[in-house]
Amino acid sequence: GINAEYGNLMKHSENDYLLEVCERISTDHQGGVLIREREEGGDHNAEKLGLLELSQVPVDKQASFSAKKYKYWNTNSVWIRLDSLDQKLKTNSLHLGIILKAVQSGQHGIVQFESPAATSIQSFEKAKLIVVPRYRYWDIKSTAALFLLQSNLYNVDRHTCRVTLNESRQYDTIPLVRFGDTFRKFKDYVRRFKQIPNITELDHLTVSGDVYFGTGVILKGTVIIVANHGERIDIPDGAILENNVISGSLSILDH
């Protein structure tokens, strides 16, 4: 959402570029960290801000980019002074980094080209970072992450877009949710839930196979639901699952 405080900060400073960053947590793996880069051919002491996507780092080197060492995480929310942007465009001096990713689409391997918005920070001399609350950043890159945001685990203020943890949850930790392939595509995910379950007391959820959820379902503790190939599991309306492991076939009907 738009926060006038950050716009005013831009207005009353000499900065022409502000990038919102948040404190990084251990589950932040797909995204970028901020680095300082030395100017090529210039003063060795002159440095500029840059963005390094973890996908650019070889797997055997990624341990060096831990949350303890690189504390701030790119949110890709950018504030740019329009006259500075106009000047960059007119002089062809706005540069976006290009990142290559190898991704799998069905049975096909694809090379994907990306240009994260925040890589533009390298083009601005008066760029600054602004640390924002974690609720201003949501990394929705999977149906598991979408499931958490859609659930009653959070309260969403429709006016400010502020997201806060439900007060009824006793812990500050976020449940670990893992979905199998049958839930990965959005169209498959939405048809498997009549209603998103109550998860304020959930610690860990794993769901795999042909599984469907009814309305008013409550999940607590650790719940693992696995439907084997050729089998189907229907979690009925109003079911309460607490520290359960369910496998095979299950279909409970109202009488």
Side-chain angles (χ1 to χ4, degrees):
I2 300 297
N3 188 317
E5 178 184 353
Y6 305 140
N8 286 330
L9 181 61
M10 171 76 79
K11 179 180 179 181
H12 298 293
S13 72
E14 295 183 355
N15 301 318
D16 53 12
Y17 188 106
L18 293 177
L19 172 63
E20 293 187 27
V21 298
C22 62
E23 291 191 5
R24 186 179 171 192
I25 59 177
S26 59
T27 55
D28 288 330
H29 298 301
Q30 297 185 44
V33 295
L34 282 301
I35 59 174
R36 289 191 177 276
E37 300 177 302
R38 286 186 177 178
E39 297 276 6
E40 294 185 9
D43 185 350
H44 289 292
N45 294 320
E47 295 180 327
K48 62 180 180 179
L49 288 169
L51 176 70
L52 178 67
E53 289 278 323
L54 294 189
S55 60
Q56 298 175 277
V57 180
V59 175
D60 60 334
K61 302 293 185 182
Q62 288 190 2
S64 301
F65 292 85
S66 67
K68 288 184 177 180
K69 186 174 181 181
Y70 291 86
K71 299 192 300 181
Y72 299 113
W73 194 246
N74 167 40
T75 70
N76 258 340
S77 291
V78 177
W79 298 77
I80 303 177
R81 193 178 295 276
L82 292 181
D83 54 358
S84 296
L85 177 60
D86 181 60
Q87 182 65 24
K88 295 292 181 184
L89 293 173
K90 287 179 178 177
T91 57
N92 197 28
S93 56
L94 178 66
H95 303 296
L96 295 175
I98 298 177
I99 297 170
L100 276 65
K101 285 185 178 180
V103 297
Q104 197 71 22
S105 177
Q107 297 180 343
H108 303 285
I110 297 174
V111 176
Q112 178 174 296
F113 292 82
E114 293 183 3
S115 290
T119 59
S120 58
I121 195 172
Q122 63 185 310
S123 301
F124 292 84
E125 295 74 24
K126 298 178 181 179
K128 295 292 183 182
L129 307 179
I130 178 170
V131 181
V132 299
R134 183 78 192 187
Y135 68 76
R136 285 187 62 80
Y137 171 70
W138 287 95
D139 186 27
I140 309 298
K141 295 181 180 177
S142 68
T143 52
L146 179 62
F147 171 84
L148 288 170
L149 187 59
Q150 289 181 321
S151 74
N152 67 334
L153 186 69
Y154 296 104
N155 298 315
V156 181
D157 187 313
R158 301 298 177 183
H159 298 289
T160 64
C161 297
R162 179 168 184 164
V163 181
T164 55
L165 199 63
N166 192 322
E167 293 179 357
S168 63
R169 183 163 176 83
Q170 298 179 358
Y171 318 103
D172 291 335
T173 56
I174 305 304
L176 176 63
V177 176
R178 291 175 176 167
F179 287 148
D181 289 340
T182 53
F183 283 74
R184 292 193 192 282
K185 292 184 178 180
F186 178 75
K187 65 178 183 178
D188 297 327
Y189 161 80
V190 294
R191 69 185 180 88
R192 294 184 177 277
F193 292 96
K194 287 184 181 178
Q195 181 184 46
I196 301 297
N198 180 325
I199 63 169
T200 56
E201 297 182 54
L202 179 69
D203 297 320
H204 175 197
L205 173 66
T206 294
V207 185
S208 179
D210 195 14
V211 180
Y212 293 82
F213 291 81
T215 60
V217 174
I218 299 175
L219 305 177
K220 301 180 179 183
T222 296
V223 178
I224 300 174
I225 306 171
V226 179
N228 298 321
H229 182 69
E231 299 175 332
R232 169 171 169 158
I233 294 177
D234 290 90
I235 306 300
D237 296 350
I240 300 175
L241 304 181
E242 182 173 4
N243 295 322
N244 289 123
V245 177
I246 299 173
S247 62
S249 297
L250 176 68
S251 184
I252 302 176
L253 303 177
D254 293 333
H255 297 287

